[in-house]
């Protein structure tokens, strides 16, 4: 409380010594603000460009964005721009294309490259954890470079296999890539983020500098902002704090995240790389969502239209869904949905290839093939007349 | 709505452009009021009921007070209880007030007996309101109306802020006395099953609204006849939820005519906003993570960690609160309104009195002008002056919150202020003790007192104090970056009050500093919650 009713001998020395009473020295004049804005814009546009030359990014033939960097959309965009040879074909999709259980050289696109005689023609342009609603956002905001290019777009019916997978149930869900889904329209019942978070995400898509900042956080600071990184614990009890006495900028060695080699989670030698039936789960019942009600299918349709608008020459690769995992009484519903999807492709003149069902032992789960499965799929696709027609166009 | 959110980033340009378009029309004030209510209602639209109530109360109380003659006029001795049910009060508006009181009281009593338990709080508050209005109308005195305003404003504040504390302590007392009686929790008294939540900023706007009534009572300002203008003064969104607590004599005249917005106002306002944003996002939020970690489990941390967390909290609360007021002042300035300075490098104070002339200036001057001086100030000798000082600090502590920790914090500051005031009167202390030592002592004392302010309970506070002095000091695991930032801030503040200040005011320093802040915000701003002072 200020308790003095009149200045007296208690007037502090510091106040007598004060040079005026302005609390801040940072009051800028209009001209100084102009300078600040210009300098800031130079930094905003200059740093990401500079980063591209400082960071060593020489993707191998079958490069895919590493699992840990799945949310690094800036890196995704950069990969897209780096592989811009005229005959490049981008294979876009979710973890089926990315290769959930397989190493980079065991993916669908890797075997397609093998079929094409080792020519690096097919690029794995998928991200782990995507689904049509997020894929739509990814292509809309981070794949301008795809415009006019040849694209293989994967269609995975798994995302219509239940209201939960479709994100159409009212109960709040935590799901991958929430920043990519439509923030306001169409409304996603499972997405309960507050309006400020939604606004921030919508604005973030339109300001690539923020995407680059996120890129640095993902690549160098364990997916955290630098402050959180300095405070991070090791997850044990009692905790220790490995980064306490390290400075965030000391981590900027410009070496990008890469896939572990060998990867304990992926590849033919990993434990996860085994047929679905070995898990002992047995067949499953799916609560399929009707196409007319499906948010994911609507997003996929919008995505196709977007590609058409962007003059992409694209083909849809439908499947391979693991029908072996489905309870027999559940298959009719699936086949009706699959048929509806095909009818829509025909009615909109979108070329498509529906893959054949693989042997049961070649599936890791409901939709992800294992390495041999991808090899078979690549061979099948390479010999499909619709596909070869499309390739030769 | 918080200043540092994307929502506000959309909200403010819309409000600002609308304001510019309507600046010279009669819609300027309604526009500002609507914006302020949207800003406040964003948290919870039901809160608006309270702010409208508080606004209407003080507006009408002052209108009725005006019918009782000029300041200093005494009520006629024949006005009193006998007029409580009189049908012939001398002024039409007083008659109306009396009838509002009577009918309201009847309704409140009726609802108390026939309504559900959840309606009791409303019945009680409206009962007090109606009784005080009836009494003031019968008395026809300015003082009665002043009491009506204070009693009703403080009742509302009491219910939302202090009822739980009061009921909890009363129930504990009943148990100790062997009585079986227990009062129901305040939450059970909410009407319509509404959630019992502390309305954001209720202490701020209640005090702001009350200051208008008190100033009118004292004859320091004229009555504001335009209700919308008065409502805008109470709810003006830049300073609505965390101050500065503006006086009516300062802000109301600014609403009378359209302010002239100069280019300098825009650039100064933007500068203040940037500084505030930096303080909040880049500094306060970062410090809060460490403070929460340590203060969340004080028994698991060493003395070093607890001491550093306390210092970190001292800076956190300063950056959090002063950052908010910087942003508030910046936003208001961009619209042509000047709000008062609320912080002035308080951690460079050389005495506790000096500290309180630099910390939360709008609140400390409020208590000085409306509590300390009316009690008698230092006009009745040192003993009474210190008594009034103690009362003032106690009320200030209670204003901050209903907990024993706040009361101890207030008592510590009262004692500290008395001691440093006495010391400043000693020549050896005043002349010979270096300023740096005084600053260090004051900062140390203030930081020590923050332990009680921040700790969840008295037990926690005591545990922290004892562990700081008695436990072994091991690695505190405070990030080096955080330590570096605190050191830099300290150096900067010292520079500001040194002969080197002009160097920090050169154009290149300001431009480089601002670019640095913007870039730092992009990289380092951490997500953080509401401002600390929103809870008060």
């Amino acid at each position: 409380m200020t308790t003095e009713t009149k200045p007296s001998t208690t007037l502090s020395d510091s106040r007598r010594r004060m040079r005026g009473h302005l609390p801040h020295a940072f009051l800028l004049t209009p001209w100084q603000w102009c300078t600040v804005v210009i300098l800031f814009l130079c930094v905003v546009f200059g740093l990401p460009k500079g980063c591209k030359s400082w960071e060593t990014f020489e993707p191998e033939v079958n490069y895919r964005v590493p699992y840990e960097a799945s949310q690094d959309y800036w890196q995704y965009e950069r990969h897209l721009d780096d592989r811009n040879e005229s005959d490049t074909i981008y294979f876009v999709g979710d973890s089926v294309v990315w290769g959930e259980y397989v190493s980079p050289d065991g993916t669908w696109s890797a075997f397609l490259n093998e079929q094409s005689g080792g020519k690096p023609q097919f690029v794995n342009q998928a991200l782990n954890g995507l689904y049509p609603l997020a894929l739509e956002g990814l292509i809309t905001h981070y794949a301008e470079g795809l415009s006019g290019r040849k694209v293989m777009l994967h269609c995975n019916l798994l995302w219509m296999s239940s209201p939960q997978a479709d994100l159409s149930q009212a109960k709040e869900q935590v799901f991958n890539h929430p920043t990519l889904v439509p923030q306001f329209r169409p409304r996603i019942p499972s997405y309960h983020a507050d309006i400020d978070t939604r606004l921030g995400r919508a604005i973030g898509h339109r300001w690539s500098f923020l995407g680059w900042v996120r890129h640095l956080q993902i690549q160098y600071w364990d997916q955290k902002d630098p402050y959180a990184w300095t405070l991070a614990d090791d997850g044990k009890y009692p905790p220790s704090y490995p980064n306490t006495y390290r400075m965030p900028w000391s981590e900027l060695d410009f070496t990008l995240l890469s896939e572990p080699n060998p990867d304990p989670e992926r590849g033919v030698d990993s434990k996860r790389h085994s047929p679905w039936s070995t898990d002992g789960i047995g067949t499953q019942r799916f609560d399929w969502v009707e196409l007319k009600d499906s948010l994911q299918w609507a997003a996929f349709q919008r995505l196709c239209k977007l590609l058409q608008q962007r003059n992409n020459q694209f083909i849809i690769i439908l499947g391979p869904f693991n029908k072996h995992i489905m309870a027999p009484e559940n298959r009719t519903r699936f086949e009706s949905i699959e048929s509806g999807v095909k009818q829509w492709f025909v009615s909109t003149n979108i070329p498509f290839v529906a893959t054949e069902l693989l042997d049961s032992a070649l599936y890791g789960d409901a939709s992800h093939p294992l390495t041999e499965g991808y090899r078979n799929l690549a061979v099948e696709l390479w010999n499909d007349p619709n596909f070869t027609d499309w390739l030769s166009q | 709505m918080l200043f540092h959110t994307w929502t506000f980033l959309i909200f403010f340009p819309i409000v600002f452009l609308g304001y510019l378009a309507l600046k010279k029309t009669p819609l300027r004030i309604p526009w500002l009021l609507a914006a302020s209510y949207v800003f406040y209602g964003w948290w919870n639209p039901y809160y608006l009921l309270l702010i409208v109530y508080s606004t209407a109360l003080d507006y009408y109380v002052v209108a009725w007070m005006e019918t009782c003659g000029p300041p200093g006029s005494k009520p006629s001795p024949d006005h009193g209880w006998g007029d409580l049910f009189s049908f012939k009060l001398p002024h039409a508006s007083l008659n109306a007030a009396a009838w509002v009181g009577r009918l309201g009281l009847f309704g409140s009593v009726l609802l108390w007996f026939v309504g559900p338990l959840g309606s009791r709080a409303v019945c009680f508050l409206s009962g007090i309101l109606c009784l005080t209005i009836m009494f003031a109308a019968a008395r026809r005195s300015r003082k009665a109306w002043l009491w009506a305003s204070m009693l009703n404003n403080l009742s509302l504040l009491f219910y939302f802020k202090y009822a739980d504390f009061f009921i909890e302590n009363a129930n504990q007392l009943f148990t100790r006395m062997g009585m079986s009686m227990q009062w129901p929790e305040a939450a059970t008294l909410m009407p319509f099953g509404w959630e019992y939540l502390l309305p954001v900023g209720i202490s701020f706007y209640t005090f702001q609204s009350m200051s208008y009534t008190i100033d009118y009572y004292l004859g320091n300002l004229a009555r504001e006849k335009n209700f919308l203008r008065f409502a805008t003064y109470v709810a003006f969104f830049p300073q609505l939820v965390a101050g500065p607590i503006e006086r009516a004599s300062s802000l109301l005249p600014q609403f009378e005519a359209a302010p002239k917005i100069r280019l300098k106002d825009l650039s100064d306002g933007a500068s203040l906003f940037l500084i505030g944003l930096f303080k909040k996002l880049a500094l306060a939020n970062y410090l809060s993570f460490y403070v929460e970690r340590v203060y969340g489990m004080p028994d698991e941390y060493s003395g070093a960690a607890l001491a550093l967390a306390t210092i970190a909290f001292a800076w956190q609360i300063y950056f959090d609160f002063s950052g908010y007021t910087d942003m508030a002042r910046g936003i208001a300035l961009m619209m042509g309104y000047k709000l008062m300075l609320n912080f002035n490098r308080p951690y460079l104070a050389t005495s506790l009195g000096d500290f309180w002339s630099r910390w939360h200036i709008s609140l400390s001057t409020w208590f000085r002008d409306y509590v300390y001086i009316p009690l008698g100030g230092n006009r009745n000798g040192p003993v009474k002056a210190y008594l009034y000082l103690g009362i003032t600090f106690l009320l200030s502590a209670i204003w901050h919150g209903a907990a024993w920790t706040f009361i101890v914090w207030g008592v510590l500051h009262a004692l500290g202020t008395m001691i440093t005031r006495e010391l400043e009167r000693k020549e050896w202390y005043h002349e010979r003790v270096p300023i740096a030592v005084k600053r260090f002592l004051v900062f140390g004392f203030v930081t020590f007192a923050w332990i009680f302010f921040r700790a969840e309970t008295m037990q926690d506070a005591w545990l922290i104090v004892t562990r700081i002095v008695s436990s072994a000091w091991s690695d505190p695991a405070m990030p080096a970056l955080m330590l570096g930032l605190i050191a830099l801030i300290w150096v900067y503040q010292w520079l500001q009050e040194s002969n080197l200040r002009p160097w920090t005011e050169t154009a290149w320093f300001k431009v480089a500093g601002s670019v640095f802040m913007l870039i730092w915000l992009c990289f380092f701003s951490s997500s953080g919650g509401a401002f600390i002072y929103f809870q008060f």
Side-chain angles (χ1 to χ4, degrees):
Chain A
M1 249 54 20
T2 302
T3 52
E4 306 297 330
T5 51
K6 60 179 181 181
S8 66
T9 51
T10 57
L11 182 68
S12 71
D13 295 331
S14 63
R15 292 188 72 184
R16 267 190 263 135
R17 289 177 55 151
M18 272 177 69
R19 306 293 188 269
H21 284 267
L22 279 175
H24 299 297
F26 276 100
L27 296 182
L28 304 179
T29 64
W31 280 112
Q32 286 165 350
W33 260 116
C34 291
T35 315
V36 166
V37 170
I38 290 167
L39 287 173
F40 181 64
L41 289 177
C42 290
V43 170
V44 162
F45 290 106
L47 274 183
K49 284 205 166 66
C51 182
K52 283 184 180 169
S53 56
W54 302 324
E55 279 180 340
T56 316
F57 181 55
E58 287 160 358
E60 292 183 356
V61 177
N62 294 317
Y63 174 88
R64 61 184 178 183
V65 175
Y67 177 79
E68 286 75 17
S70 294
Q71 294 192 50
D72 187 353
Y73 310 127
W74 191 84
Q75 179 68 11
Y76 178 89
E77 198 170 11
R78 182 182 181 187
H79 179 219
L80 191 71
D81 295 340
D82 268 34
R83 304 291 290 269
N84 60 356
E85 293 90 359
S86 59
D87 58 347
T88 301
I89 297 167
Y90 298 91
F91 202 170
V92 174
D94 58 16
S95 52
V96 171
V97 178
W98 187 84
E100 174 63 23
Y101 298 111
V102 301
S103 54
D105 55 2
T107 60
W108 205 338
S109 55
F111 287 120
L112 281 170
N113 279 328
E114 211 173 87
Q115 289 296 314
S116 69
K119 194 180 169 198
Q121 195 177 3
F122 296 90
V123 174
N124 187 338
Q125 201 66 39
L127 282 182
N128 198 303
L130 280 182
Y131 42 89
L133 279 161
L135 187 59
E136 181 196 12
L138 182 77
I139 302 302
T140 306
H141 303 297
Y142 300 96
E144 283 281 344
L146 267 187
S147 298
R149 314 304 299 270
K150 260 190 156 171
V151 172
M152 291 163 65
L153 179 62
H154 180 245
C155 179
N156 187 355
L157 298 185
L158 178 77
W159 300 111
M160 292 147 232
S161 65
S162 69
Q164 192 180 357
D166 192 53
L167 302 183
S168 51
Q169 63 176 9
K171 188 181 166 195
E172 184 173 12
Q173 269 180 251
V174 177
F175 47 83
N176 294 317
H177 302 285
T179 54
L180 292 176
V181 301
Q183 299 299 320
F184 297 102
R185 293 276 159 203
R187 199 180 77 82
I188 300 172
S190 300
Y191 184 47
H192 289 206
D194 60 49
I195 193 165
D196 199 62
T197 307
R198 289 167 192 257
L199 266 176
R201 287 172 175 171
I203 291 167
H205 295 317
R206 283 157 183 82
W207 192 14
S208 68
F209 181 70
L210 293 180
W212 176 69
V213 170
R214 182 80 187 125
H215 162 76
L216 295 187
Q217 292 175 355
I218 289 169
Q219 298 286 342
Y220 303 107
W221 296 311
D222 302 337
Q223 318 232 9
K224 297 178 177 70
D225 69 71
Y227 280 163
W229 178 82
T230 65
L231 288 154
D233 63 40
D234 60 355
K236 294 175 186 159
Y237 187 83
S240 64
Y241 303 94
N243 304 326
T244 295
Y245 300 110
R246 290 154 70 189
M247 288 298 174
W249 44 87
S250 67
E251 299 303 300
L252 291 171
D253 59 0
F254 300 110
T255 307
L256 292 167
L257 287 173
S258 57
E259 298 209 36
N261 188 16
D263 188 342
E265 298 290 316
R266 291 177 185 85
V268 287
D269 297 328
S270 72
K271 274 189 183 172
R272 294 173 71 232
H273 192 278
S274 59
W276 66 278
S277 52
T278 58
D279 285 349
I281 302 169
T283 55
Q284 293 175 30
R285 295 181 58 82
F286 294 91
D287 183 13
W288 293 99
V289 178
E290 289 296 330
L291 284 183
K292 64 179 174 48
D293 301 323
S294 169
L295 291 175
Q296 301 278 20
W297 173 239
F300 192 85
Q301 288 175 308
R302 288 195 301 272
L303 178 58
C304 290
K305 284 175 187 163
L306 176 73
L307 291 176
Q308 283 175 330
Q309 282 164 12
R310 287 184 178 175
N311 297 320
N312 285 107
Q313 203 184 347
F314 71 102
I315 187 167
I316 307 290
I317 312 296
L318 180 61
F321 193 83
N322 180 5
K323 289 186 199 171
H324 306 288
I325 207 171
M326 239 187 293
E329 67 272 22
N330 214 216
R331 288 188 189 163
T332 321
R333 188 98 179 270
F334 169 76
E335 278 155 10
S336 127
I337 286 169
E338 191 182 34
S339 153
V341 167
K342 286 177 186 170
Q343 276 173 24
W344 186 78
F345 292 145
V346 171
S347 68
T348 47
N349 293 323
I350 296 172
F352 72 97
V353 175
T355 57
E356 294 294 321
L357 181 68
L358 297 168
D359 287 345
S360 176
L362 297 181
Y363 285 101
D365 57 25
S367 63
H368 297 103
L370 301 174
T371 305
E372 271 309 301
Y374 281 124
R375 189 193 299 276
N376 291 359
L377 285 169
V379 172
E380 179 199 329
L381 203 57
W382 195 255
N383 294 314
D384 187 287
N386 285 338
F387 185 69
T388 46
D389 273 359
W390 176 78
L391 266 186
S392 60
Q393 282 170 16
Chain B
M1 201 181 296
L2 300 168
F3 288 154
H4 62 285
T5 57
W6 295 108
T7 318
F8 186 78
L9 199 74
I10 306 283
F11 168 83
F12 183 62
I14 295 170
V15 171
F16 185 65
L17 290 176
Y19 177 74
L20 287 182
L22 300 172
K23 197 161 77 82
K24 289 180 180 167
T25 72
L27 291 174
R28 175 174 52 90
I29 291 295
W31 176 255
L32 271 185
L33 182 61
S36 299
Y37 281 171
V38 168
F39 178 86
Y40 192 65
W42 202 260
W43 274 286
N44 184 343
Y46 295 123
Y47 287 168
L48 287 172
L49 290 175
L50 299 176
I51 200 167
V52 170
Y53 168 78
S54 204
T55 305
L57 174 75
D58 283 300
Y59 178 80
Y60 284 105
V61 159
V62 166
W64 288 324
M65 200 186 278
E66 194 180 35
T67 64
C68 303
S73 54
K74 305 252 180 204
S76 169
D78 58 332
H79 301 155
W81 294 105
D83 284 341
L84 269 181
F85 299 99
S86 164
F87 292 87
K88 290 179 184 171
L89 293 175
H91 201 284
S93 70
L94 284 182
N95 258 324
W99 273 108
V100 165
R102 286 165 201 153
L103 292 174
L105 184 65
F106 176 73
S108 304
V109 171
L110 194 68
L111 193 61
W112 178 280
F113 288 108
V114 300
L117 182 70
S119 61
R120 294 252 170 115
V122 174
C123 292
F124 186 73
L125 291 172
S126 61
I128 291 178
L129 173 71
C130 298
L131 259 180
T132 49
I133 287 177
M134 278 170 64
F135 178 69
R139 285 287 295 167
R140 274 168 266 161
S141 88
R142 293 172 69 92
K143 191 174 261 182
W145 284 115
L146 176 70
W147 278 105
S149 161
M150 297 205 356
L151 206 61
N152 288 293
N153 273 310
L154 296 177
S155 299
L156 201 63
L157 196 58
F158 177 85
Y159 175 65
F160 280 103
K161 201 164 170 177
Y162 307 105
D164 259 347
F165 174 72
F166 184 74
I167 290 169
E168 190 186 318
N169 281 279
N171 285 342
Q172 278 178 12
L173 190 68
F174 295 148
T175 309
R176 283 189 189 176
M177 290 165 68
M179 296 163 72
S180 60
M181 185 172 78
Q182 292 283 291
W183 283 343
E185 287 179 18
T188 61
L189 304 175
M190 285 295 284
F192 313 120
W194 288 347
E195 206 176 348
Y196 179 65
L197 288 173
L198 177 67
V200 176
I202 188 170
S203 308
F204 287 93
Y205 66 73
T206 304
F207 270 43
Q208 181 152 318
S209 184
M210 274 166 60
S211 80
Y212 163 73
T213 310
I214 300 170
D215 275 340
Y216 181 79
Y217 169 77
L218 294 171
N220 294 339
L221 54 78
R223 179 166 90 87
E224 174 55 66
K225 292 186 177 160
N226 184 319
F227 181 79
L228 291 183
R229 202 180 294 150
F230 177 68
T232 309
Y233 155 71
V234 176
F236 188 43
F237 74 88
Q239 44 82 249
L240 170 61
V241 288
I245 303 168
E246 281 293 325
R247 303 296 176 83
S249 53
S250 160
L251 194 53
L252 266 175
Q254 295 189 56
F255 288 136
E256 277 173 16
K260 191 175 177 190
I261 303 173
R262 301 165 302 163
L263 205 54
K264 186 178 180 326
D265 294 331
L266 291 175
S267 62
D268 282 357
S271 305
L272 283 169
F273 190 83
L274 174 63
I275 292 160
L277 199 64
F278 185 77
K279 282 180 176 177
K280 171 65 183 165
L281 291 182
L283 301 174
N285 284 0
Y286 185 32
L287 295 168
S288 76
F289 294 140
Y290 185 74
V291 174
E292 275 164 26
R293 183 209 284 174
V294 177
Y295 266 68
M297 288 185 290
D299 50 339
E300 302 216 346
Y301 285 89
S302 70
L306 289 163
L308 280 175
T310 306
I311 293 172
F313 178 69
W315 287 105
Q316 181 206 339
I317 192 168
Y318 168 64
F319 288 128
D320 193 275
F321 195 13
S322 74
Y324 185 89
T325 47
D326 284 339
M327 284 190 267
R329 293 178 67 223
I331 292 160
L333 192 56
M334 282 190 258
M335 294 193 292
Y337 300 105
K338 291 183 176 61
L339 302 183
M340 69 183 291
L341 184 68
N342 215 16
F343 290 87
N344 190 10
R345 290 182 286 281
Y347 292 144
L348 294 182
T350 54
S351 70
L352 262 292
D354 187 22
F355 174 80
W356 281 106
S357 67
R358 293 159 172 263
W359 179 277
H360 203 175
I361 299 166
S362 64
L363 181 73
S364 55
T365 51
W366 197 100
F367 274 107
R368 181 195 65 192
D369 295 346
Y370 300 130
V371 179
Y372 180 71
I373 292 174
L375 279 173
N378 52 10
R379 298 188 298 269
N380 302 317
V383 176
K384 283 195 173 172
Y386 286 142
L387 177 68
Y388 304 146
L389 191 69
I391 293 169
T392 310
F393 270 107
L394 193 65
L395 290 175
S396 161
I398 293 169
W399 180 91
H400 281 88
W404 289 106
T405 46
F406 287 118
I407 291 171
V408 172
W409 172 77
V411 169
L412 282 173
H413 269 280
L415 290 172
T417 305
M418 292 172 198
I419 292 167
T420 52
R421 191 190 279 191
E422 284 304 316
L423 282 173
E424 282 292 345
R425 288 185 175 143
K426 308 288 180 206
E427 195 184 335
W428 62 271
Y429 183 86
H430 186 66
E431 298 296 333
R432 293 189 193 168
V433 177
I435 284 174
V437 173
K438 289 179 184 173
R439 282 178 176 166
F440 180 77
L441 288 174
V442 169
F443 179 75
F445 182 86
V446 170
T447 305
F448 172 73
W450 284 133
I451 293 175
F452 295 88
F453 192 94
R454 175 61 178 81
E456 298 290 331
T457 60
M458 274 305 293
Q459 287 81 359
D460 273 2
W462 189 243
L463 180 76
I464 290 163
V465 173
T466 49
R467 284 186 71 82
I468 286 175
V469 293
S470 65
S471 76
W473 280 41
S474 56
D475 178 10
M478 183 187 230
L481 179 64
M482 196 179 279
L483 275 171
L485 280 174
I486 291 176
L488 267 177
I489 292 153
W490 225 321
V491 169
Y492 176 75
Q493 296 233 335
W494 278 71
L495 278 177
Q496 288 295 291
E497 292 212 358
S498 73
N499 293 329
L500 292 170
R501 178 172 175 134
W503 180 71
T504 66
E505 287 171 341
T506 53
W508 73 266
F509 186 90
K510 289 196 282 187
V511 168
S514 299
V515 173
F516 170 80
M517 281 195 278
L518 282 169
I519 295 170
W520 190 273
L521 279 173
C522 289
F523 282 96
F524 286 80
S525 63
S526 50
S527 53
F531 293 83
I532 293 176
Y533 261 69
F534 278 16
Q535 64 186 291
F536 302 134

